[in-house]
């Protein structure tokens, strides 16, 4: 059983063993038939870290195993202030298509989208110095066999959202409302609320952009086909050749639009979706801090009532009940002290976690924005090449 002090020790030790681990999720494979089928993934770990037995190893895992891992980590760490990355969301429609063996573009895209999401989830998990050394994480990465994850219905991101909403509801139902005395927490909570709203808006915009770009690809392909047919019908040799070559250029541009739509989606849209879910996890630890404070306050109120009851017993001279009251007071004093320590500790942990999370967030966005801009520049440069190569043909029409 981990204690707060042992978590701190793990974080301190991390400085001595530099972070060097790369995890890939590959080779999605359908196992079984019909509605009992499932997808298995190869999880390969490469590392020089001394906590692992080998430098490279691989295991097979199914989607429910990933959800089971998240469930274990969330139950151990969320309530004490650690930000646990959410597992990818379940998709009944997407998985049903795969199960019944309907192989089309949408089912292939679903499998690829999930594979990449699982890879990002594992990398975010092992980047956390405490989660990396958790026995369940190490077992997930190293053990050839895992105990079967049960009841994974509520373990995905949607499940995390429900869990966080429950914590938020519990906070709303409190008899005593917490007046935040720490300006840092007040400021950060507002910051994450605003960030959540803006990330969701941008995510919707980028998803619309992906749809627009895919629609543009379809229309470009249709234009290419029409230009080719017109070229075949044209008697004027130079004009016929120019129209045929225009059709070829448009076919190439159609592919560029498809590639850029994929970049919009896999680079930018998925990053935003991940961070919408991560912000939910961050807001969840803030709610757990308030619940920890409430537990401490409840103990204080109960202690006050017991002390008042003890005073009455002293006045009525009931020694047998008085002794029992003293014992209960002593126990409650211990709970109050523990409640205060827990509140101080979760506050300290959240400060550290938010600092680490913000550094990772900036690093993630910087890397993805650079890659995304590079993809846009490459697409535009290729477009210019295609049109520059075609221009002499258009000018040759006489």
């Amino acid at each position: 059983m981990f204690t707060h002090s042992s978590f701190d020790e793990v974080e301190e030790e991390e400085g001595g063993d530099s972070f060097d681990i790369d995890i890939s999720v590959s080779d999605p494979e359908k196992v079984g038939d019909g509605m009992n089928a499932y997808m298995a993934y190869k999880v390969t770990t490469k590392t020089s870290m001394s906590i692992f037995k080998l430098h490279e190893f691989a295991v097979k895992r199914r989607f429910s195993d990933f959800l089971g891992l998240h469930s274990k980590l969330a139950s151990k760490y969320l309530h004490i202030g650690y930000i646990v990355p959410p597992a990818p969301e379940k998709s009944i429609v997407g998985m049903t298509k795969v199960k019944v063996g309907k192989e089309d573009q949408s089912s292939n895209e679903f499998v690829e989208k999930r594979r990449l999401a699982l890879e990002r989830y594992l990398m975010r998990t092992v980047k956390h110095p405490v989660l990396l050394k958790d026995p369940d994480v190490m077992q997930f990465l190293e053990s050839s066999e895992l105990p079967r994850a049960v009841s994974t219905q509520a373990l995905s991101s949607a499940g995390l959202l429900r869990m966080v909403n429950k914590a938020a509801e519990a906070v709303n139902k409190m008899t005593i409302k917490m007046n935040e005395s720490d300006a840092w927490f007040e400021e950060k909570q507002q910051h994450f609320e605003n960030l959540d709203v803006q990330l969701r808006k941008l995510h919707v915009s980028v998803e619309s952009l992906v749809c627009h770009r895919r629609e543009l690809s379809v229309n470009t392909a249709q234009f290419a086909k029409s230009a080719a047919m017109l070229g075949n019908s044209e008697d004027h040799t130079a004009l016929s050749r120019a129209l045929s070559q225009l059709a070829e250029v448009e076919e190439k541009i159609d592919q560029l639009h498809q590639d850029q739509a994929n970049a919009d989606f896999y680079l930018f849209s998925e990053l935003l979706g991940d961070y919408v879910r991560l912000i939910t996890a961050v807001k969840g630890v803030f709610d757990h801090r308030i619940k920890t404070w409430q537990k401490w306050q409840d103990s204080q109120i109960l202690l006050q009532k017991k002390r008042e009851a003890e005073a009455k017993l002293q006045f009525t001279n009931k020694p047998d009940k008085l002794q029992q009251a003293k014992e209960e007071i002593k126990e409650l004093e211990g709970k109050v002290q523990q409640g205060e320590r827990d509140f101080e500790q979760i506050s300290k942990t959240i400060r550290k976690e938010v600092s680490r999370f913000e550094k990772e967030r900036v690093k993630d966005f910087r890397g993805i924005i650079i890659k995304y801009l590079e993809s846009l520049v490459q697409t535009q440069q290729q477009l210019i090449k295609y049109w520059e190569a075609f221009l002499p043909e258009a000018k040759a029409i006489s």
Side-chain angles (χ1 to χ4, degrees):
M1 178 82 184
F2 272 120
T3 62
H4 277 297
S5 59
S6 59
F7 288 136
D8 290 339
E9 284 163 17
V10 168
E11 286 183 318
E12 284 164 17
E13 283 171 16
E14 182 59 23
D17 194 0
S18 61
F19 180 83
D20 172 33
I21 184 168
D22 182 67
I23 297 173
S24 63
V25 176
S26 62
D27 305 348
E29 177 192 4
K30 184 178 164 185
V31 179
D33 296 308
M35 293 310 290
N36 291 322
Y38 63 89
M39 295 299 292
Y41 303 85
K42 183 182 178 184
V43 178
T44 306
T45 306
K46 294 179 182 178
T47 182
S48 63
M49 297 183 78
S50 58
I51 59 170
F52 294 100
K53 296 167 192 169
L54 300 170
H55 291 314
E56 185 173 341
F57 42 92
V59 292
K60 282 279 186 180
R61 294 289 178 256
R62 55 190 294 178
F63 184 65
S64 59
D65 294 329
F66 290 84
L67 296 186
L69 174 64
H70 173 261
S71 174
K72 289 172 186 174
L73 296 177
S75 65
K76 279 195 269 189
Y77 298 101
L78 268 179
H79 68 286
I80 51 174
Y82 285 89
I83 300 167
V84 178
E89 291 178 334
K90 277 190 166 188
S91 171
I92 295 170
V93 175
M95 197 56 214
T96 301
K97 275 189 179 181
V98 173
K99 283 182 176 184
V100 297
K102 189 180 178 184
E103 281 205 24
D104 56 16
Q105 189 178 350
S106 66
S107 64
N108 291 335
E109 279 181 3
F110 166 76
V111 171
E112 178 61 7
K113 179 184 175 183
R114 175 170 279 187
R115 183 194 70 75
L116 288 167
L118 292 171
E119 189 170 276
R120 292 194 305 273
Y121 161 68
L122 285 181
M123 280 306 296
R124 283 205 175 95
T125 300
V126 299
K127 277 181 182 177
H128 194 296
V130 172
L131 301 185
L132 169 61
K133 298 187 178 184
D134 181 88
D136 286 316
V137 172
M138 296 181 74
Q139 182 189 39
F140 181 91
L141 296 176
E142 291 183 300
S143 296
S144 56
E145 294 293 330
L146 275 186
R148 181 73 195 281
V150 292
S151 183
T152 57
Q153 189 175 358
L155 306 184
S156 62
S157 297
L160 172 70
L161 183 60
R162 285 193 292 273
M163 197 190 301
V164 169
N165 286 341
K166 261 189 193 175
E169 281 171 24
V171 167
N172 290 334
K173 288 176 185 173
M174 285 180 178
T175 49
I176 311 169
K177 293 295 177 187
M178 180 179 178
N179 291 319
E180 185 58 74
S181 57
D182 191 320
W184 184 90
F185 277 96
E186 195 170 14
E187 181 192 319
K188 287 296 176 186
Q189 278 184 284
Q190 191 57 53
H191 163 69
F192 285 118
E193 287 293 341
N194 294 339
L195 196 59
D196 187 27
V197 170
Q198 298 309 323
L199 278 172
R200 288 175 189 275
K201 284 181 181 177
L202 183 56
H203 188 219
V204 169
S205 298
V206 174
E207 285 194 321
S208 296
L209 179 62
V210 173
C211 291
H212 165 73
R213 201 123 30 200
R214 283 179 177 160
E215 192 178 326
L216 182 60
S217 166
V218 171
N219 291 335
T220 303
Q222 187 59 49
F223 176 73
K225 190 177 176 182
S226 299
M229 290 172 73
L230 180 60
N232 290 335
S233 306
E234 179 58 56
D235 289 337
H236 191 286
T237 306
L239 182 55
S240 175
R241 186 172 61 244
L243 285 167
S244 296
Q245 291 195 355
L246 173 62
E248 287 175 15
V249 170
E250 289 292 345
E251 282 177 7
K252 291 175 183 175
I253 290 171
D254 164 32
Q255 187 59 51
L256 280 181
H257 289 322
Q258 287 181 46
D259 292 344
Q260 191 55 56
N262 287 335
D264 293 342
F265 179 75
Y266 288 112
L267 286 176
F268 211 19
S269 179
E270 287 290 83
L271 173 79
L272 293 168
D274 283 354
Y275 269 93
V276 164
R277 293 185 284 276
L278 278 162
I279 294 293
T280 301
V282 174
K283 287 160 71 177
V285 298
F286 279 90
D287 286 338
H288 277 294
R289 175 176 173 267
I290 296 173
K291 283 175 74 179
T292 303
W293 177 86
Q294 180 65 54
K295 192 177 174 184
W296 173 30
Q297 298 309 302
D298 288 345
S299 296
Q300 283 188 319
I301 290 166
L302 196 53
L303 176 60
Q304 184 61 35
K305 286 180 180 176
K306 286 290 179 185
R307 281 174 173 161
E308 288 170 4
E310 182 199 26
K312 286 178 184 175
L313 287 170
Q314 283 175 336
F315 184 73
T316 54
N317 192 24
K318 292 182 179 176
D320 52 334
K321 289 188 178 180
L322 190 61
Q323 183 56 37
Q324 185 185 343
K326 285 183 183 296
E327 287 169 7
E328 288 173 353
I329 286 169
K330 189 176 179 182
E331 185 184 340
L332 279 168
E333 283 173 343
K335 282 186 179 179
V336 168
Q337 288 170 1
Q338 186 60 49
E340 186 176 11
R341 283 195 296 270
D342 288 346
F343 180 70
E344 286 173 358
Q345 184 60 54
I346 195 172
S347 299
K348 178 184 169 188
T349 300
I350 290 172
R351 280 176 178 270
K352 273 189 187 178
E353 284 291 279
V354 166
S355 173
R356 188 189 60 79
F357 174 80
E358 290 288 69
K359 282 176 190 170
E360 285 293 328
R361 184 172 66 85
V362 171
K363 189 176 169 185
D364 274 356
F365 271 82
R366 179 184 181 276
I368 290 297
I369 286 170
I370 288 171
K371 276 186 185 176
Y372 182 62
L373 289 175
E374 284 172 348
S375 76
L376 286 169
V377 169
Q378 192 177 353
T379 298
Q380 296 306 314
Q381 286 173 338
Q382 196 61 54
L383 271 172
I384 290 167
K385 280 183 185 176
Y386 289 153
W387 289 125
E388 283 179 342
F390 173 69
L391 189 58
E393 284 296 329
K395 288 180 175 178
I397 301 168
S398 59

